[in-house]
Amino acid sequence: MLQSEESIEDELSYRPPGCEHPEDPAGLLHTPIVPCLPGTLGRMIDLHLHSTCSDGSESPTAVVGLAAAAGCSTIALTDHDGLAGLKEAAAAAAAAGIGFVRGCEVSCSFSPGTLHLLAYFVEDEEGPLPDMLADMRSDRSARNERLVARLRELGYPVSLDAVGAVAGSDVIGRPHFASVLVGLGAASSVQDAFDRILGKGRPAYVSKAHVSAPEAIAAAKESGAVAVLAHPLSLGLGPVELDSQIAELAELGLGGLECYYGRYAPDERSGLAAIASSHGLVATGGSDFHGTFKPGLFVGTGTGDLEVPDAAVRELEARRA
Ligand code: AMP
Ligand code: ZN
Ligand code: FE
Ligand code: FE
């Protein structure tokens, strides 16, 4: 059942021309370039969404519009390394009558795979977690300069200006580099750029300076937030190691496990929900929507079958210190 984020290539072949949700017949709630697939659960939520404030292609307001069209009752915006989109998204969510949770995603050091923590209910703009995010943004900038140099060494004429032009904010990530490589004709798709050039173990892989998971969990707790392990199968661990790693993180104060992840199969989701339950963690979920930077993933419904029950929001909130 275990699969790492790096190895996933599946893309949805079905591309709906636009959202045909009954409450949005004219498709006014979202930009036509990124369609939505409405859910059927009615009370579904999506607690993992990226916007132009990190490496998503849609603005915070557009992401909220897609969530409304999909039928989400509550969403969290979880941009990498920053909180810049939260104010705009919260206002759009209030206008659309959707519950909103302030979140972010933090990359932590881990081997063999990757360890990402989602932090929810980050209410303050200052404090241990926001300070940690600011440090991560400056590490990211330094990494991006090394990544440009590495790509140029490999013969790809990439410039930081070109990558910045693709990005909507100062949080520039590898999906933006991938998009530039596609524009140069060096890759056939964002996924192809990751698979051959930018992904872990590929020639242009340049790691960021990550924080440790214990540090990030502690900073989240000190900031009144709840930490959740994102896409747990990306850790790249077998079943026994995965269980003991999750136990260790739970001991440190992890509040939840992202069981209902956009790209996970039904048996992977239920397997993770059983692990969450055995360690007293909230089973959360989300699509990891990035718009055109991760084609085939839709707000709320993931690859089409994701439906995260909204009880997770109340359970998560109850974990706040
Ligand atoms: P960065 O934080 O700049 O290192 O970029 C991380 C982003 O790249 C995340 O949104 C990941 O989902 C995406 N990413 C990482 N590895 C892959 C991969 N192998 N294929 C597609 N996207 C990836
Ligand atoms: Zn991302
Ligand atoms: Fe992630
Ligand atoms: Fe993410």
Side-chain angles (χ1 to χ4, degrees):
M1 92 169 209
L2 303 180
Q3 163 183 45
S4 87
E5 185 180 32
E6 312 289 333
S7 69
I8 296 168
E9 287 172 47
D10 60 318
E11 281 198 9
L12 203 67
S13 52
Y14 171 58
R15 294 274 195 288
C19 174
E20 277 136 26
H21 194 272
E23 280 161 31
D24 183 29
L28 296 174
L29 290 170
H30 58 85
T31 50
I33 182 168
V34 177
C36 77
L37 273 182
T40 54
L41 191 64
R43 304 294 299 165
M44 73 172 172
I45 58 175
D46 191 333
L47 301 181
H48 193 158
L49 298 165
H50 295 273
S51 77
T52 45
C53 290
S54 64
D55 54 2
S57 64
E58 306 305 302
S59 70
T61 299
V63 171
V64 172
L66 287 165
C72 292
S73 60
T74 296
I75 59 164
L77 186 68
T78 54
D79 276 310
H80 299 278
D81 303 356
L83 309 171
L86 297 179
K87 227 173 150 181
E88 179 186 325
I98 295 179
F100 185 73
V101 176
R102 288 170 53 92
C104 63
E105 184 172 15
V106 181
S107 309
C108 299
S109 47
F110 193 77
S111 184
T114 56
L115 195 162
H116 291 180
L117 287 174
L118 295 159
Y120 295 113
F121 307 106
V122 194
E123 301 306 339
D124 296 327
E125 299 291 335
E126 285 170 29
L129 185 60
D131 289 351
M132 178 177 274
L133 297 175
D135 287 347
M136 297 190 78
R137 288 195 296 278
S138 69
D139 283 335
R140 176 180 285 279
S141 303
R143 186 282 305 255
N144 288 343
E145 284 176 26
R146 293 199 301 277
L147 180 46
V148 167
R150 180 75 193 126
L151 286 166
R152 295 185 79 87
E153 269 170 33
L154 291 166
Y156 302 109
V158 170
S159 71
L160 212 44
D161 282 350
V163 182
V166 171
S169 74
D170 60 348
V171 180
I172 295 174
R174 281 181 291 160
H176 301 127
F177 284 83
S179 177
V180 167
L181 288 168
V182 172
L184 288 170
S188 61
S189 66
V190 167
Q191 190 59 54
D192 179 47
F194 271 99
D195 291 344
R196 292 190 301 105
I197 305 168
L198 296 167
K200 206 167 183 178
R202 298 297 163 209
Y205 179 71
V206 181
S207 69
K208 295 185 302 244
H210 295 112
V211 294
S212 76
E215 273 178 294
I217 292 173
K221 286 180 74 153
E222 284 163 30
S223 295
V226 182
V228 168
L229 180 63
H231 40 71
L233 303 186
S234 298
L235 295 174
L237 300 175
V240 175
E241 292 79 14
L242 179 66
D243 192 75
S244 61
Q245 182 62 51
I246 290 168
E248 207 175 290
L249 295 171
E251 197 64 29
L252 291 166
L254 188 77
L257 197 65
E258 191 178 50
C259 306
Y260 308 108
Y261 184 63
R263 279 184 162 160
Y264 290 170
D267 66 320
E268 293 174 325
R269 293 176 191 158
S270 55
L272 288 167
I275 296 176
S277 159
S278 75
H279 296 293
L281 298 169
V282 180
T284 73
S287 61
D288 208 0
F289 174 81
H290 283 70
T292 56
F293 293 116
K294 269 196 185 180
L297 276 179
F298 300 93
V299 175
T301 47
T303 57
D305 67 343
L306 184 70
E307 288 191 332
V308 185
D310 73 349
V313 176
R314 290 189 296 281
E315 291 172 25
L316 266 187
E317 191 157 22
R319 300 291 169 116
R320 296 186 68 187

